[in-house]
Amino acid sequence: MPIPESLTAKPIYILNGPNLNLLGVREPDIYGRETLPALEMRCRTRAKELGFSIVFKQSNIEGELVNWIQEAREAGAGIIINAAAYTHTSVAIHDALKAADLPTVEVHLSNLYTREEFRHQSFISPLARGVICGFGGLGYEFALLALRQILDSRKQD
Ligand code: DQA
């Protein structure tokens, strides 16, 4: 059944943190060979199928990520965030997500729990509806699917 346009008026913000601009060349054994532009295309294709528009961003700067979360608070329907290393350190991103109060899915390409202990702590997880890690770029597609379900179930309430 086609998804009514009214459900999808606001975009999903897909936010990527530091060093993810180097995807494809940085530690490919861990992060794979898919580049960030290729990942963005993959998200755009899947989002379109699900009836979403997306805003896809990457920054190495913590405050820029905070600004985009604040923008999403006004203009977005939901957030998918791979805060990369800031996942494990950023109270500022935690606070911004709390203020945004939007359905949020935390994504990581790698399986954090098979890696160093410092990656087992996340400042994002307590504010996320769910966490997906270890499936590479496919995790972003899972996150879009999850948000589709969350937003559709809200419309039916
Ligand atoms: C990452 C995992 C983080 O621990 C790391 O700092 C990253 C990428 C991931 O997608 O697997 O830069 O978020």
Side-chain angles (χ1 to χ4, degrees):
M1 201 172 58
I3 295 153
E5 210 154 298
S6 57
L7 288 179
T8 59
K10 288 182 170 182
I12 302 299
Y13 276 66
I14 304 182
L15 303 179
N16 296 282
N19 299 306
L20 292 174
N21 53 315
L22 298 179
L23 270 186
V25 289
R26 167 198 182 209
E27 301 181 84
D29 292 351
I30 296 175
Y31 299 116
R33 299 225 171 253
E34 188 172 35
T35 63
L36 193 67
L39 178 60
E40 176 174 354
M41 277 311 298
R42 179 181 182 148
C43 288
R44 287 199 182 282
T45 303
R46 177 64 72 196
K48 205 171 167 192
E49 281 172 16
L50 292 167
F52 282 136
S53 62
I54 60 169
V55 173
F56 190 99
K57 304 265 195 199
Q58 185 276 331
S59 181
N60 295 328
I61 300 165
E62 187 176 16
E64 202 154 29
L65 293 160
V66 169
N67 284 341
W68 289 330
I69 294 166
Q70 290 189 7
E71 186 183 303
R73 178 174 171 269
E74 301 283 339
I79 297 174
I80 294 170
I81 185 163
N82 181 352
Y86 290 140
T87 304
H88 318 299
T89 62
S90 181
V91 176
I93 291 175
H94 173 103
D95 286 351
L97 288 170
K98 194 166 206 174
D101 194 24
L102 286 171
T104 296
V105 181
E106 177 183 355
V107 171
H108 300 281
L109 297 154
S110 63
N111 180 348
L112 302 178
Y113 301 98
T114 60
R115 303 187 64 195
E116 303 95 323
E117 194 142 353
F118 67 81
R119 296 185 203 275
H120 299 181
Q121 149 125 353
S122 168
F123 282 90
I124 314 286
S125 300
L127 300 167
R129 284 290 297 267
V131 183
I132 299 163
C133 75
F135 296 103
L138 187 59
Y140 287 68
E141 296 189 54
F142 292 153
L144 282 164
L145 192 58
L147 283 177
R148 179 79 273 164
Q149 291 213 2
I150 291 164
L151 293 173
D152 286 353
S153 65
R154 282 190 176 180
K155 290 276 170 183
Q156 281 155 20
D157 287 347

